[in-house]
Amino acid sequence: MAFGEWMSESKKYIIGILVVGAVLAIIPFATSFDQYTILLLATALIYGIFVVAWNIIGGYAGQLDLGAFAYIALGGIVASQLMIVYGITPWIGMFLGAAASAGLAIIIGIPTFRFGIREVWYALLSAALVVIMNNIFHMPQVLGSLDHYLPSVSGWFYLEFPTYENIYWFVTVALMFVMLINLMISHSKVGYYLRAIREDELVAEALGIDVRKYKLVALATYASILGFMGYVYVVLQGTFSYHTFNAPESIGIAIMGIIGGLGSIAGTLVSGFSLKLIGDYLRGSLGATIPGLNLLIYGLLLVIIGIFEPDGFAGIYRKYFHKEKSASKVSKK
Amino acid sequence: MRSNFKKALSKAASITIVVIIIIAIAAGAGWWWATTQQEAIPTTTSFSSTTTAATKPKISVIKIGLIEPLTGAHAVFGIEAKEAAELAINVINNELGGIKSLGGAKLQLVVQDAGSTPDNARLAAEKLITQSHPNIVIGAYISRLTAAVAEVTNRSHTILFMDGLVDDLTQHGWKYVFRVAPKASAHGKSAVDFILDMAKKKGLKVKTAVVLNEDSVFGTYTGNGAVLELIKNGVKVLDHITYPYDITDVSSIIARIKADNPDVIISVPYFHDAILIAKAIKSEGLHPMFIAAAGGCGYTDPDSIKAAGDAVLYYTQTYSFNPYRHTEWAKKLVGMFKQKYGKIPTEAGGIILYTMFTIYEGLEKAGQMYPSDPLNPDNLRKVFLSLDLTDSNSIAAQLYPTGHIKFLPNGDNEYAGTAILQVQKINGTLTPVLVWPEPQPGIQPIFPRPDWKPSSSS
């Protein structure tokens, strides 16, 4: 493959990221600052970030991680507690939260990968991690049973606002960074190693790839992104408690990642964003008239995608993309 | 090749960073613009419906929002709440002719599903507020969902009636919140007060107690309420045990209680754990003076009686709603509920019934107190704070366990209290009956437990 083609491809992705960011940034104006719409979009975008981050461990490295909320909640709670107890701005707290989540990932990752735990066993272990964290934080010495509230303050210092557009823009910028990180991993040495590990771990090891190291890098990157975004998630919740370590939602992140298409940035973003958006929109519009109908429709949607497009949203995208590519080749001739 | 690629990427990355900075600056500028604009917006939007009406009020519909968990683990409560709200609104609109002081204005119910997480509840509240513009909102039973709703309603100056019982919900300085129902610690307090009252009547002395509660936020507040009331009344609390509500083996807890050998046991259960505890207490042969439970669910529910049988005989339980209250409207509405839905309203439905009628009384009074601007949230707040509802002057109080509703400045009911039901054997079948504060006709509370074996120490 020629170098020029590579460069044009990465450029194309970066332009894509910029376009996505610019479009997203304009939306609040288009809705004339309708607070419900902006909150709905912000919530969906955060899930977009979670799923794009999941793509690093689940998509590139091929580890079916079911522990997203262990890292989200830990990072969020660390940043929130730093603010509540020590008055530290979340701008610092979020990085410390990310560090805490990365630390947890490394503590969990070293023995896990050392003992070669993978595939379904890794899935089980990561799912158990959320439950374990939930129980640890439920202990009276940690958070106990009570709900903890963020102080009702507002301003950029606290990253809390009376309206939602600022947090929405913050999430948009964060999303662009996360997509960029994904892109850089995807096109770097690490990305190739991770894909090799995904395809066949034993062969990858035989080729001399330090499997444990690169899986750990993927896990820590994923965890630190989630930990960083944890505080924003807590802001949207208003409260945090041991319930924030939410096992079913963690599995939801992995489902969105799989539906999006393993290893596809665009696919996972579209999947996380749109599935969360559709889910919450259906709850808001149908949930009250026929309770549960929204969940039925949501479930059906997942089944339909699973049957007709096993590669997920990325498969749909690729089909369209390849068509266009071949068409452009024809026109060049 | 790779170094070239890296160079290209870093160039692209630097462009990205520049663009992000530009966007950030634009966002910041937008923020300044938005905040300076929005200083005025909340007041104008929330008052717009009322300021236009200031000269000549013509209100035909008053929107009542209801945000309840209709899906997920707590759906059973939310669905009953919705049923109760529909029934109450139907009665207010059709039998009582709407709000008479507002020209017969009808109430309109707008329902939203609070889902299962606070961000679901927040979205539901935001959708309700921005799209339906309700005058008053009710919600959301589970404390963390209620908190998320309260943040939204309080910011938009909308009155919220909370049916979440956790104490701290009225301690956040939210101005536009009210709660008719007794808070969690009041449940614990009631269970203790009942025991002490009965003991005094029977000439017995309660010296020691053990409190055990499931460790949810509700169970914790309820258990703490009981402990504080025991200490206040000079009863020695030998042990305060907490356990997860989904506990599967209670034998170690029962062994601890047996070793403590208390006069009374106060238990704050959920559902499943209540059955386990009752059965274990029976099989381990504990014979305390009394076993009382607090917190609205557990030993005296029909399902628990079915599952535990004789093991729950003589157990008492506190409730936020008293379906057996002997007042005209309590009998009438419970009868209507039973006819319509085939069951007696429990906690979740009962709270909504008296909350909805409190709102009804408040709106009637608002029409008299502020005829020019009755639905202004600040006026409504003053109206609700001025209410003093009793059995003789209101429907709402007739539905309430203590028969008295008067709000404190933080939004809690000054006369909040619970009813206590006891499982008794009536004509050979185990039946929950009302025993406190006023027993239902033909019923006497059974105290102490007939199988009580006074220990040598007491």
Side-chain angles (χ1 to χ4, degrees), chain B residues 318-381:
Chain B
T318 62
Y319 283 93
S320 307
F321 175 67
N322 177 0
Y324 305 104
R325 202 154 179 246
H326 264 261
T327 54
E328 186 197 338
W329 276 92
K331 278 190 236 166
K332 180 173 173 169
L333 282 166
V334 170
M336 286 174 83
F337 193 97
K338 204 174 170 185
Q339 198 188 358
K340 197 166 174 191
Y341 303 114
K343 63 182 180 190
I344 284 177
T346 62
E347 233 16 34
I351 293 172
I352 296 292
L353 284 179
Y354 57 65
T355 301
M356 198 61 95
F357 279 93
T358 306
I359 291 170
Y360 163 76
E361 311 279 358
L363 289 170
E364 278 291 1
K365 196 168 179 188
Q368 294 153 13
M369 270 173 79
Y370 299 100
S372 60
D373 195 6
L375 298 180
N376 177 312
D378 289 294
N379 289 349
L380 275 179
R381 182 172 178 269

Side-chain angles (χ1 to χ4, degrees), chain B residues 69-196:
Chain B
L70 300 173
T71 49
H74 308 292
V76 58
F77 307 115
I79 286 171
E80 195 187 305
K82 183 175 169 242
E83 290 170 346
E86 282 163 357
L87 177 75
I89 290 224
N90 193 14
V91 170
I92 291 168
N93 284 346
N94 299 326
E95 277 192 43
L96 301 169
I99 310 296
K100 290 201 195 77
S101 71
L102 298 174
K106 304 282 189 225
L107 301 188
Q108 187 195 341
L109 190 67
V110 195
V111 188
Q112 274 291 321
D113 178 11
S116 49
T117 58
D119 62 311
N120 294 161
R122 178 186 289 258
L123 269 169
E126 206 61 67
K127 174 157 180 147
L128 190 69
I129 296 285
T130 55
Q131 300 190 353
S132 307
H133 307 289
N135 301 97
I136 293 170
V137 176
I138 305 173
Y141 204 74
I142 304 302
S143 66
R144 58 187 189 281
L145 305 183
T146 311
V149 171
E151 241 178 67
V152 174
T153 55
N154 200 60
R155 198 194 312 123
S156 69
H157 296 211
T158 308
I159 302 275
L160 172 70
F161 274 83
M162 302 191 289
D163 61 348
L165 304 186
V166 166
D167 289 37
D168 67 19
L169 287 173
T170 49
Q171 293 160 9
H172 291 281
W174 290 320
K175 192 178 165 194
Y176 300 94
V177 297
F178 291 96
R179 171 164 61 190
V180 193
K183 58 188 179 189
S185 63
H187 276 264
K189 184 177 175 292
S190 286
V192 173
D193 289 346
F194 164 70
I195 288 179
L196 296 175

Side-chain angles (χ1 to χ4, degrees), chain A residues 278-328:
Chain A
I278 292 168
D280 277 332
Y281 180 76
L282 285 177
R283 181 186 305 105
S285 48
L286 294 176
T289 34
I290 307 168
L293 183 64
N294 54 327
L295 300 177
L296 184 72
I297 293 175
Y298 185 78
L300 277 175
L301 203 70
L302 292 189
V303 172
I304 289 167
I305 294 170
I307 292 171
F308 291 102
E309 200 50 68
D311 285 343
F313 286 113
I316 300 170
Y317 171 76
R318 229 170 272 141
K319 263 184 205 161
Y320 170 75
F321 181 69
H322 279 299
K323 250 182 219 162
E324 198 184 50
K325 204 171 176 183
S326 53
S328 68

Side-chain angles (χ1 to χ4, degrees), chain A residues 14 145 147 164 166 236-237 284, chain B residues 12 31 119 122 126 143 215:
Chain A
I14 285 166
S145 300
D147 298 319
Y164 300 113
N166 297 314
L236 288 191
Q237 301 257 313
Chain B
W31 174 66
D119 62 311
R122 178 186 289 258
E126 206 61 67
S143 66
D215 65 359

Side-chain angles (χ1 to χ4, degrees), chain B residues 201-228:
Chain B
K201 280 181 187 158
K202 301 279 175 174
L204 295 166
K205 181 97 181 114
V206 178
K207 286 180 192 156
T208 57
V210 165
V211 176
L212 68 156
N213 64 265
E214 51 92 8
D215 65 359
S216 76
V217 59
F218 176 74
T220 304
Y221 269 110
T222 310
N224 291 349
V227 169
L228 287 176

